[in-house]
Amino acid sequence: MANRGPSYGLSREVEQKIEQKYDPELEGRLVEWIIAQCGGDINRPEAGKTNFQKWLMDGTLLCGVINSLYPQDEGPIKKIQNSKMAFKQMEQISQFLKAAEAYGITKTDIFQTVDLWEGKDLAAVQRTLMALGSAAVTKDDGFYKGDPNWFHKKAQGNRRAFSEEQLRKGQNVIGLQMGTNKGASQSGMTGYGMHRQIM
């Protein structure tokens, strides 16, 4: 993590709001999924936000997860290095983010490298991993490992095809959203601005 002093005022309030979004229960589910996806020989981190950050910070696990969602030796990240140099680790995180976007994760669901590296927004890291898990479950191509109930399945398109006859019949129907004129008339109404006749 970067060497930052304590924050005060508005900066501290913003930090607290970001910290409140982090979900410890979700952390456990994501750890289980990453271990299942990458193979069982991975060390499990101790619970806690800082340990979760240190576990993912070098980028090797993230790259391993995205590569495991493709056929053997066809993953988007060709070389995963276990390096202690900061710029190499950040480069691997960036490679994961590019590969996640190519896999189908929207830009709004993808965290920034500093969110993980400096621990600025680990809730965003969780959000990206959740979106990746949901996309993998939705694709259902056989590369997802783990319990499919850990992530929600995204809705798929449900296109309808109507025959010409059905479309013609629909043109004659007046929808209830248009309203009805049964029982309504303008008898007894006067123009706007005219005085009422009281008898």
Side-chain angles (χ1 to χ4, degrees):
M1 286 175 66
N3 189 8
R4 296 187 307 250
S7 57
Y8 300 98
L10 184 62
S11 298
R12 184 64 192 143
E13 286 180 34
V14 170
E15 275 184 22
Q16 286 175 336
K17 284 190 176 186
I18 289 172
E19 287 173 6
Q20 289 172 354
K21 292 180 182 177
Y22 186 81
D23 186 356
E25 184 180 314
L26 178 59
E27 172 196 310
R29 189 174 354 146
L30 291 172
V31 166
E32 292 295 326
W33 177 57
I34 291 171
I35 290 173
Q37 196 68 41
C38 293
D41 59 341
I42 297 169
N43 293 333
R44 181 183 305 275
E46 290 191 29
K49 186 160 75 166
T50 309
N51 295 325
F52 185 66
Q53 177 199 2
K54 287 179 184 173
W55 191 56
L56 296 176
M57 203 163 82
D58 66 353
T60 55
L61 284 174
L62 295 174
C63 293
V65 166
I66 196 75
N67 276 351
S68 68
L69 296 173
Y70 289 89
Q72 189 75 27
D73 299 328
E74 291 183 26
I77 302 168
K78 301 301 177 202
K79 191 173 185 183
I80 301 174
Q81 297 175 341
N82 200 350
S83 176
K84 298 285 182 203
M85 290 188 281
F87 74 93
K88 284 283 188 189
Q89 294 177 353
M90 292 175 89
E91 183 181 350
Q92 286 195 151
I93 294 171
S94 295
Q95 287 178 336
F96 163 77
L97 297 175
K98 286 178 191 166
E101 188 175 350
Y103 192 74
I105 309 304
T106 58
K107 276 192 182 249
T108 54
D109 284 335
I110 294 180
F111 66 89
Q112 301 293 315
T113 304
V114 292
D115 291 337
L116 174 59
W117 180 255
E118 295 182 7
K120 287 191 177 214
D121 190 0
L122 290 173
V125 176
Q126 287 184 323
R127 192 170 50 248
T128 300
L129 291 171
M130 279 293 294
L132 183 63
S134 293
V137 167
T138 303
K139 282 190 179 184
D140 195 24
D141 53 7
F143 296 111
Y144 174 83
K145 298 178 186 103
D147 187 355
N149 295 324
W150 285 340
F151 304 103
H152 65 274
K153 199 170 193 174
K154 293 183 179 180
Q156 301 294 309
N158 189 5
R159 301 213 26 103
R160 306 266 193 322
F162 295 105
S163 68
E164 286 296 321
E165 182 183 346
Q166 289 173 316
L167 291 173
R168 271 195 308 274
K169 283 182 181 176
Q171 290 174 348
N172 298 331
V173 176
I174 297 174
L176 291 177
Q177 292 174 339
M178 311 275 187
T180 180
N181 63 357
K182 296 198 182 338
S185 72
Q186 291 184 331
S187 64
M189 290 187 67
T190 57
Y192 292 111
M194 293 183 68
H195 300 290
R196 287 174 54 194
Q197 299 293 326
I198 300 176
M199 301 198 159

